[in-house]
Amino acid sequence: MQYTWIEKTPVGRILVAADEDGVKYVQFREDDSAAELIQEDWVRDDKALKSVVQQLQAYFAGKLSQFDVPLAPEGTAFQKKVWKALCKVKFGVTASYGDIAKSIGNPAACRAVGLANGRNPIAIIIPCHRIIGTNGKLVGYGGGLGRKKTLLSLEGIEISA
């Protein structure tokens, strides 16, 4: 597994990791708290992850609205189904947990969708930040509501907490 850091973004420091199958992690990290994630056999390789970093930087600069990198998140079959559905929520658009549950053919699975959303290992690229409450308000986000609000704002979406 290769990893790199994006030191300065509108949402703070970001850890990016991938293997030959694709991107495994895009995680917010305030400091070197990635120790619990980075394994001994991981190798820092800024060059190998240059494309992912460039796309994230273009997104932050308002020059990219759709990512084009292979993704390889690890999770249960249900989580992967939810994450795939999240990827269909387009730039500048929001959806609710209920919308995602309906889109995967299980309208009663709102809470399970919320849990899968919260376990998304690939922030931003798998756009879990675009999921808001049915009432149109900001709801939980693993990276914090401030980051969620910033990401939505970058996409032209203004929502009150």
Side-chain angles (χ1 to χ4, degrees):
M1 180 92 68
Q2 298 92 25
Y3 74 95
T4 191
W5 292 98
I6 305 175
E7 295 295 338
K8 295 182 181 174
T9 76
V11 289
R13 190 173 196 228
I14 295 176
L15 172 72
V16 178
D19 65 12
E20 61 278 350
D21 296 326
V23 176
K24 296 277 189 191
Y25 302 101
V26 173
Q27 303 268 314
F28 306 112
R29 298 294 169 177
E30 295 302 322
D31 49 29
D32 288 329
S33 64
E36 78 278 2
L37 184 60
I38 295 175
Q39 304 296 311
E40 229 177 80
D41 60 341
W42 287 24
V43 176
R44 179 156 183 172
D45 191 338
D46 300 342
K47 188 176 179 182
L49 296 165
K50 185 177 181 180
S51 174
V52 181
V53 170
Q54 287 176 329
Q55 286 190 39
L56 284 163
Q57 289 171 330
Y59 168 83
F60 292 129
K63 297 178 181 175
L64 181 81
S65 60
Q66 185 172 346
F67 293 93
D68 181 25
V69 293
L71 303 179
E74 294 178 356
T76 66
F78 180 80
Q79 288 170 334
K80 289 178 181 180
K81 193 174 191 180
V82 169
W83 299 335
K84 188 174 182 178
L86 291 174
C87 288
K88 294 177 183 172
V89 180
K90 301 212 180 293
F91 180 94
V93 177
T94 59
S96 69
Y97 296 121
D99 294 332
I100 300 300
K102 287 176 196 162
S103 79
I104 64 169
N106 194 345
C110 294
R111 284 191 177 161
V113 164
L115 290 171
N117 197 49
R119 290 196 172 93
N120 171 19
I122 306 174
I124 304 167
I125 298 175
I126 296 178
C128 56
H129 62 278
R130 296 181 187 147
I131 307 307
I132 61 171
T134 5
N135 61 1
K137 302 277 186 191
L138 287 181
V139 291
Y141 185 62
L145 290 181
R147 281 193 179 109
K148 183 173 190 164
K149 193 170 185 172
T150 298
L151 291 168
L152 291 173
S153 182
L154 286 168
E155 296 186 18
I157 302 167
E158 298 300 329
I159 296 179
S160 59

